[in-house]
């Protein structure tokens, strides 16, 4: 986990943003639960069109994750991020998972190792698929989908989960590759390898 207090590339801060980027930052800030433009988005500010696409996908997947529950969507975000070793995203989504579960201790246990956390079997199967997709995407088989169906996930839920997992693979890689630093006031979360 990165411990430096600044990113490896110069972020485009909200104060420095102009024109199209400034308007995009305002939309991001308005949609943010913290009322701020996160460091990840500022790191992507050098590519406003790419940032807009990435943020729009985030809002589409996580703004209303139905037919998954908010907790299931955040479970995927935390576990995929932990699998990828992305402390930035675990720190951002750990508190959201704690709120969605209504159980901060369980959320922290999930970040350390979801397989040891006291989760329902249905959620564990969902996370098994997210980790498998993260670690071995080319090895996925029809049996993976059938297993999800056995646990009550319909095709709409399977598609949503299958979109959320790779979204976090994308953002984890951006955050890690650019060394995006945690914003002041956000505490790192302990997490383990979920492989």
């Amino acid at each position: 986990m990165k411990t430096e207090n600044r990113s490896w590339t110069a972020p485009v801060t909200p104060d420095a943003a102009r024109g199209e980027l400034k308007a995009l930052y305002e939309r991001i800030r308005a949609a943010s639960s913290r009322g701020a433009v996160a460091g990840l988005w500022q790191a992507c500010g050098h590519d406003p069109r790419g940032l807009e696409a990435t943020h729009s996908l985030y809002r589409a997947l996580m703004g209303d994750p139905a037919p998954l529950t908010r907790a299931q969507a955040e479970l995927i975000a935390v576990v995929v991020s932990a699998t990828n070793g992305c402390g930035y995203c675990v720190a951002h989504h750990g508190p959201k998972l704690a709120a969605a579960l209504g159980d901060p201790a369980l959320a922290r246990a999930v970040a350390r190792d979801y397989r040891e956390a006291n989760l329902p079997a249905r959620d564990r199967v969902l996370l098994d698929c997210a980790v498998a997709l993260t670690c071995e995407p080319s090895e996925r088989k029809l049996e993976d989908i059938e297993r999800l169906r056995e646990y009550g996930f319909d095709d709409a839920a399977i598609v949503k989960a299958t979109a959320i997992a790779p979204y976090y693979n994308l953002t984890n890689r951006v955050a890690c590759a650019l060394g995006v630093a945690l914003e002041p006031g956000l505490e790192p979360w302990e997490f383990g390898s979920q492989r």
Side-chain angles (χ1 to χ4, degrees):
M1 180 164 49
K2 195 172 108 38
T3 58
E4 298 170 13
N5 61 3
R6 65 180 196 85
S7 299
W8 300 338
T9 59
V12 180
T13 65
D15 290 342
R18 300 289 177 259
E20 176 185 336
L21 181 61
K22 182 176 181 145
L24 176 56
Y25 276 2
E26 286 306 314
R27 290 193 303 275
I28 290 172
R29 183 185 326 240
S32 168
S33 60
R34 294 178 39 242
V37 179
L40 176 66
W41 305 132
Q42 291 181 43
C44 295
H46 294 284
D47 177 15
R49 290 179 63 202
L51 169 57
E52 183 166 27
T54 304
H55 188 264
S56 292
L57 182 56
Y58 169 73
R59 298 302 309 160
L61 294 173
M62 300 299 284
D64 178 7
L68 298 179
T69 66
R70 176 139 336 266
Q72 288 169 330
E74 292 297 344
L75 282 164
I76 294 169
V78 168
V79 169
V80 168
S81 298
T83 300
N84 287 322
C86 184
Y88 179 88
C89 290
V90 172
H92 269 265
H93 287 277
K96 292 177 182 182
L97 176 58
L101 291 172
D103 188 340
L106 179 57
R108 289 190 180 274
V110 167
R112 287 189 298 275
D113 188 342
Y114 78 94
R115 295 160 299 204
E116 299 296 322
N118 187 23
L119 289 173
R122 185 171 194 257
D123 289 343
R124 190 169 288 113
V125 166
L126 182 69
L127 295 175
D128 287 344
C129 285
V131 170
L133 180 57
T134 296
C135 296
E136 302 165 336
S138 67
E139 295 181 27
R140 306 298 22 102
K141 295 184 173 32
L142 175 58
E143 290 81 13
D144 300 320
I145 299 298
E146 290 171 347
R147 186 163 186 241
L148 287 168
R149 285 187 181 129
E150 287 171 15
Y151 280 84
F153 292 100
D154 65 12
D155 286 357
I158 292 167
V159 168
K160 183 68 79 149
T162 302
I164 291 172
Y167 173 80
Y168 282 95
N169 279 290
L170 165 70
T171 57
N172 295 163
R173 282 156 175 74
V174 171
C176 290
L178 300 179
V180 179
L182 276 179
E183 298 83 359
L186 275 178
E187 295 297 321
W189 269 50
E190 178 187 353
F191 63 93
S193 173
Q194 308 278 334
R195 295 175 186 257

